[in-house]
Amino acid sequence: MDQQARQSKRLRRANPDGEDGAGGGGGSTGSGGAAQGQAARPAPAQAVVQAARQEELVQAEERAADEPGITRLEMLCAAPENRGANLTKGDLNALLEAGIHCVETLAFMPMRKLLEVKGIGDQKAQRIMAAAKQLVPMRMVSAAEMLVMRKNMVQITTGSAQLDGLLQGGIETGQITEIFGEFRCGKTQLCHTLCVACQLPIDRGGGESKALYIDTEGTFRPERLVQIAQRYGLNEEDVLENVTYARAYNAEHQEKLLTEAAGVFCESRYALLIVDSATGLFRTDYSGRSELADRQQALNRFLRKLQRIADEHGVAVVITNQVMSSPDSGPSAFMGPQVKPIGGHIIGHASQTRLFFRKGKGETRICKIYDSPSLPEGEAMFAISPGGIMDAEGR
């Protein structure tokens, strides 16, 4: 998700008459100036052709701006000497039916999973993996190179400067960020704000891309996106069109939606995937200690797919999580009700950054860094407004 590839359509649209107008004003002087100026003017038919070509260039730039940064499966149809695998149209259809939509998926998946695809034998699988490794190189890099990549990473603003400061820039792309807390503490409101913020230009803290919202609790409200778009001065219809919504009705459906999401990410440029919440349906579909092991295994598979999507497409994955009471004994029992996130160690190890939200006074909320490989422990206060997440007044 480099910055040049993320320039928005409106910012990149050039004035089709700007260059021609500058050239047309350069007529020569003297007795032959009028004749030369007249000769320089294109004929009506030529003007139409030039205008059509200019429009084609503009449309090509718009398509390039919306093109996802992935390697398409059609590249594997080439010969092995051209970094292909000699695949046929039928082979590509078999890969698509198996939920494989780009070469990046093949490069990151184990060989045994590829052999499970119908019509893919051992020799063909080896050709596919060899071609995928060439098209999507996975090499070792130095810490210095990794630091440069981290500095160039796109981060999405939360809408609050104080919260962005706590996160040292905002929500990271290519990573899983977990937000947990009690009800009415701002988790869903932050998700709505991020759906709009990811469409902002990069210099304003956005990703100039679309968002996909998977809703498991029925709390998604498009009218909130309209209000937040008004705060940022964005076109309301464009904002709504750039947010893809899916409702999950059970844990199995929630996992299948990730396969569909991977296909959507190959069709257009996305910067954000939200799952609100990631654990709610697993809590209801798997009940009791007898199904605890099955629940944790299913949740682990779901989180692993989320991480693969983040790796393959470079999107920011934001998941919300529910909490449960922790009636611990000892000194903490006298410090008010204690809560801890659902999912245990499974979700704790899967998330790179974990944020704990809790209620403050009035409309203010408090965010605490619960776990992060790079961010120090700290807290920041923010507020919920009609325009989404913003700084708390007087803080």
Side-chain angles (χ1 to χ4, degrees):
M1 296 176 64
D2 57 16
Q3 183 165 349
Q4 293 180 353
R6 294 294 191 186
Q7 296 300 318
S8 65
K9 302 176 184 178
R10 287 181 289 274
L11 292 178
R12 285 156 51 105
R13 181 181 290 274
N15 181 4
D17 297 329
E19 187 176 351
D20 294 338
S28 59
T29 59
S31 59
Q36 292 181 5
Q38 185 175 3
R41 296 194 191 96
Q46 294 176 342
V48 173
V49 172
Q50 289 182 1
R53 289 178 178 175
Q54 184 67 29
E55 183 64 25
E56 290 178 0
L57 291 175
V58 172
Q59 292 178 358
E61 289 183 353
E62 291 181 351
R63 288 193 297 269
D66 197 45
E67 187 71 14
I70 52 97
T71 307
R72 299 195 175 276
L73 291 177
E74 287 76 7
M75 299 286 291
L76 298 176
C77 295
E81 55 268 21
N82 295 326
R83 301 194 300 176
N86 274 336
L87 296 189
T88 64
K89 187 68 174 177
D91 295 331
L92 296 184
N93 291 333
L95 293 175
L96 292 173
E97 291 177 0
I100 301 171
H101 300 274
C102 61
V103 180
E104 282 78 4
T105 304
L106 293 167
F108 296 150
M109 72 187 307
M111 174 75 78
R112 59 184 180 85
K113 291 295 183 180
L114 181 59
L115 291 173
E116 295 176 0
V117 179
K118 183 179 179 181
I120 303 297
D122 185 64
Q123 294 184 354
K124 187 178 293 185
Q126 291 182 3
R127 292 202 310 269
I128 292 175
M129 296 303 290
K133 294 296 190 296
Q134 295 181 18
L135 293 171
V136 185
M138 295 181 290
R139 62 183 180 88
M140 295 184 183
V141 298
S142 65
E145 292 179 89
M146 188 65 183
L147 179 60
V148 172
M149 290 189 288
R150 290 277 303 170
K151 289 182 177 179
N152 295 330
M153 175 184 58
V154 174
Q155 291 179 283
I156 303 174
T157 178
T158 61
S160 167
Q162 295 175 352
L163 189 52
D164 287 344
L166 179 68
L167 300 175
Q168 296 184 1
I171 303 296
E172 295 183 354
T173 54
Q175 310 288 328
I176 297 179
T177 301
E178 176 196 355
I179 305 169
F180 68 91
E182 295 180 344
F183 64 94
R184 208 176 66 84
C185 65
K187 302 187 299 294
T188 299
Q189 296 303 316
L190 177 59
C191 292
H192 283 74
T193 304
L194 291 173
C195 284
V196 179
C198 75
Q199 304 179 39
L200 294 170
I202 292 179
D203 56 7
R204 294 181 60 188
E208 298 181 358
S209 302
K210 301 178 181 180
L212 193 152
Y213 198 113
I214 296 179
D215 181 14
T216 68
E217 299 179 347
T219 55
F220 177 78
R221 296 294 182 269
E223 52 267 30
R224 290 291 291 133
L225 301 183
V226 173
Q227 294 175 322
I228 300 171
Q230 293 172 352
R231 166 191 173 184
Y232 286 107
L234 300 177
N235 183 279
E236 301 169 7
E237 295 182 359
D238 291 343
V239 167
L240 293 175
E241 287 294 332
N242 288 332
V243 177
T244 304
Y245 171 77
R247 176 69 191 273
Y249 295 98
N250 55 64
E252 293 181 1
H253 183 215
Q254 180 176 332
E255 186 174 351
K256 290 179 181 178
L257 285 176
L258 292 189
T259 303
E260 298 181 22
V264 171
F265 290 161
C266 292
E267 298 173 358
S268 186
R269 190 178 296 277
Y270 282 76
L272 178 66
L273 169 61
I274 289 176
V275 184
D276 184 24
S277 72
T279 56
L281 294 177
F282 288 95
R283 295 183 73 181
T284 57
D285 291 357
Y286 299 89
S287 60
R289 289 188 175 273
S290 61
E291 295 185 319
L292 180 60
D294 294 336
R295 186 193 78 173
Q296 293 299 91
Q297 290 179 5
L299 181 60
N300 192 25
R301 286 195 306 269
F302 177 77
L303 294 172
R304 187 67 193 96
K305 288 186 177 181
L306 281 178
Q307 185 61 62
R308 281 206 299 266
I309 289 177
D311 294 336
E312 295 166 9
H313 302 279
V315 299
V317 177
V318 176
I319 60 175
T320 65
N321 192 7
Q322 300 176 351
V323 295
M324 63 180 180
S325 299
S326 178
D328 296 330
S329 59
S332 60
F334 302 97
M335 300 174 61
Q338 303 294 311
V339 296
K340 60 182 181 181
I342 295 297
H345 298 295
I346 293 288
I347 197 167
H349 291 304
S351 306
Q352 280 79 43
T353 302
R354 309 185 76 186
L355 305 178
F356 174 38
F357 280 14
R358 68 178 190 270
K359 303 168 188 173
K361 294 182 180 180
E363 295 299 322
T364 61
R365 303 292 185 269
I366 301 171
C367 172
K368 178 182 179 180
I369 301 292
Y370 191 80
D371 180 37
S372 172
S374 59
L375 301 175
E377 289 189 6
E379 294 184 352
M381 187 173 291
F382 63 93
I384 302 174
S385 71
I389 301 298
M390 61 181 300
D391 287 332
E393 296 182 0
R395 299 291 179 178

